[in-house]
């Protein structure tokens, strides 16, 4: 939820595109046919053509493009190491092409090689200072390292060059939220939603912020909107259950915890919180069963709920 990896596949367009029915003769021809095959879903055929292009003598820019395109195709097969090797070859041949650094940086970020990813995105920014996506993804890497100040600076630069980047707004909101700047986070999530009214994760995170600011009605409204967009997320039902429970809507909270458990039977906190409500409703058998399930899934929870359980077992309930 925290990171937004934006992989931009780069394909250079050449003046002449060779149709599949014709026989390619040059590296450029094979590269172009590979692009066509990949667009048609023929990944193996595309890789074969890019490999043939690479094996031929031609201008560095054409061979570098074939490496880049083969890397993109290899990613479609989840061959991450092969893609990394090809992006690196493309960089060797065309060290001034920022797009190859960017693509390699995205893959490194996905592999959690954060320092290497930062180095690649920094190179992109050096070569193309207004490339918004590089700032955004370098911000993601800094955020993953826990350097929220550097992340916020990068997201802010991403927005400078692309003010309508919902990803940068959302990601900056996360970093601000991590720094306890709830007003700043709320503003960024709200602006992201203004740009994209179907931005599910922005509603969820804004709900969490509103909950932290004791705006329970706002939080419930955001969780509910998020569930309109994505009905099968256990965490969202659980979050709304917490907000409803805080508003003393025990039946609504009970329904949300039950739905969360239905969607994710391993969600220990949902069992524990449902057990609390069942205890308050004198459903002793159900509560005992839910507490047992919660503590079996997460034994550490037992300490958190021990006082509540012991208190309810006393004759006077105090």
């Amino acid at each position: 939820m925290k990171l937004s990896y934006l992989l931009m596949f780069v394909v250079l367009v050449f003046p002449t595109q060779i149709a599949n029915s014709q026989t390619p003769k040059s590296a450029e021809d094979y590269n172009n046919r590979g692009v066509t095959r990949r667009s048609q879903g023929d990944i193996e055929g595309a890789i074969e053509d890019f490999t043939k292009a690479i094996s031929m003598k031609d201008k560095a820019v054409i061979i570098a493009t074939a490496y880049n395109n083969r890397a993109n195709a290899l990613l479609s097969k989840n061959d991450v190491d092969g893609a990394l090797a090809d992006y690196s070859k493309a960089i060797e041949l065309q060290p001034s092409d920022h797009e190859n650094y960017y693509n390699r940086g995205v893959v490194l970020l996905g592999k959690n090689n954060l320092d290497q990813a930062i180095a690649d995105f920094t190179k992109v920014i050096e070569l193309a200072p207004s490339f918004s996506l590089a700032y955004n993804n370098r911000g993601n890497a800094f955020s993953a390292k826990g350097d929220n100040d550097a992340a916020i600076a990068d997201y802010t630069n991403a927005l400078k060059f692309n003010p309508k980047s919902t990803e940068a707004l959302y990601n900056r909101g996360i970093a601000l939220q991590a720094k306890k700047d709830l007003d700043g986070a709320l503003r960024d999530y709200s602006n992201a939603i203004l740009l994209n009214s179907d931005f599910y994760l922005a509603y969820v995170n804004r709900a969490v912020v509103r909950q932290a600011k004791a705006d329970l009605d706002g939080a419930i409204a955001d969780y509910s909107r998020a569930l309109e967009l994505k009905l099968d997320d256990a965490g969202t039902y659980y979050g709304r259950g917490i907000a409803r429970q805080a508003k003393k809507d025990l039946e609504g909270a009970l329904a949300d915890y039950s739905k969360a458990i239905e969607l994710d039977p391993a969600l220990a906190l949902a069992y524990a919180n449902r057990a609390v409500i069942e205890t308050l409703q004198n459903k002793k058998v159900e509560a005992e069963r839910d507490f047992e399930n919660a503590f079996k899934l997460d034994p550490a929870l037992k300490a958190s709920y021990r006082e509540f359980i012991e208190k309810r077992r006393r004759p006077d309930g105090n």
Side-chain angles (χ1 to χ4, degrees), residues 135-164:
Y135 288 104
N136 181 71
N137 279 341
R138 190 174 70 173
N140 290 339
F142 280 127
S143 181
K145 284 170 66 73
D147 189 346
N148 289 305
D149 289 329
I152 289 167
D154 270 350
Y155 297 137
T156 301
N157 273 320
L159 289 162
K160 173 184 174 183
F161 297 111
N162 182 10
K164 294 186 177 181

Side-chain angles (χ1 to χ4, degrees), residues 30 45-56 66 70 86:
Y30 277 105
I47 291 172
E48 180 183 315
D49 276 347
F50 296 139
T51 301
K52 180 64 176 178
I54 289 166
S55 72
M56 302 175 76
R70 188 172 71 176
D86 274 358

